[in-house]
Amino acid sequence: QVQVVESGGGLVQAGGSLRLSCVVSGIIASEYVMTWARQGSEKQHEFVATISNLGDTDYADSVRGRFAISRDNAKNTVYLQMNSLKPEDTSIYYCSARHPFTARDYWGQGTQVTVSS
């Protein structure tokens, strides 16, 4: 059974930092593209950051330069370091694992991030 579990959310003041973690089990995480997304205004997933199975990264323009995605394959864990947080970063943050060839993907339940002004 595949599980994707996010943690690390919380309440932080604007300008502060948080580090989110995403632990996956039941799959070999190193084979998967890992992505962080957040709930958008229309309740859809809004792309935040991604890291390929080869370590290539990409970011949404709104977070580029403030957020950093990384992975520790030995721990089957992906991180999202969030710095210089803004109130508009407030959302539920989700982690997903997608196989680059089969496109099979798995999502976690999300972790709440709240940034106060």
Side-chain angles (χ1 to χ4, degrees), residues 4-7 19-24 29-30 32-36 49-52 57 68-81 94-97:
V4 179
V5 181
E6 304 96 335
S7 64
R19 189 176 81 155
L20 306 184
S21 298
C22 170
V23 180
V24 298
S30 61
Y32 285 72
V33 176
M34 302 299 297
T35 299
W36 285 97
T50 192
I51 184 166
S52 75
T57 60
I69 188 171
S70 60
R71 64 193 303 160
D72 184 337
N73 291 329
K75 296 182 178 179
N76 270 10
T77 301
V78 176
Y79 304 98
L80 185 68
Q81 178 67 42
Y94 299 91
C95 176
S96 74

Side-chain angles (χ1 to χ4, degrees), residues 13-52:
Q13 287 188 330
S17 298
L18 282 174
R19 189 176 81 155
L20 306 184
S21 298
C22 170
V23 180
V24 298
S25 58
I27 58 174
I28 302 173
S30 61
E31 297 179 354
Y32 285 72
V33 176
M34 302 299 297
T35 299
W36 285 97
R38 61 191 180 190
Q39 189 174 71
S41 58
E42 300 297 325
K43 305 296 184 182
Q44 81 287 0
H45 286 141
E46 175 185 279
F47 169 73
V48 174
T50 192
I51 184 166
S52 75

Side-chain angles (χ1 to χ4, degrees), residues 47-95:
F47 169 73
V48 174
T50 192
I51 184 166
S52 75
N53 52 324
L54 302 178
D56 299 319
T57 60
D58 195 17
Y59 300 90
D61 289 342
S62 59
V63 307
R64 193 183 308 273
R66 299 189 297 122
F67 291 10
I69 188 171
S70 60
R71 64 193 303 160
D72 184 337
N73 291 329
K75 296 182 178 179
N76 270 10
T77 301
V78 176
Y79 304 98
L80 185 68
Q81 178 67 42
M82 305 187 297
N83 300 324
S84 302
L85 281 162
K86 304 176 181 179
E88 52 263 43
D89 294 318
T90 295
S91 188
I92 302 172
Y93 284 71
Y94 299 91
C95 176

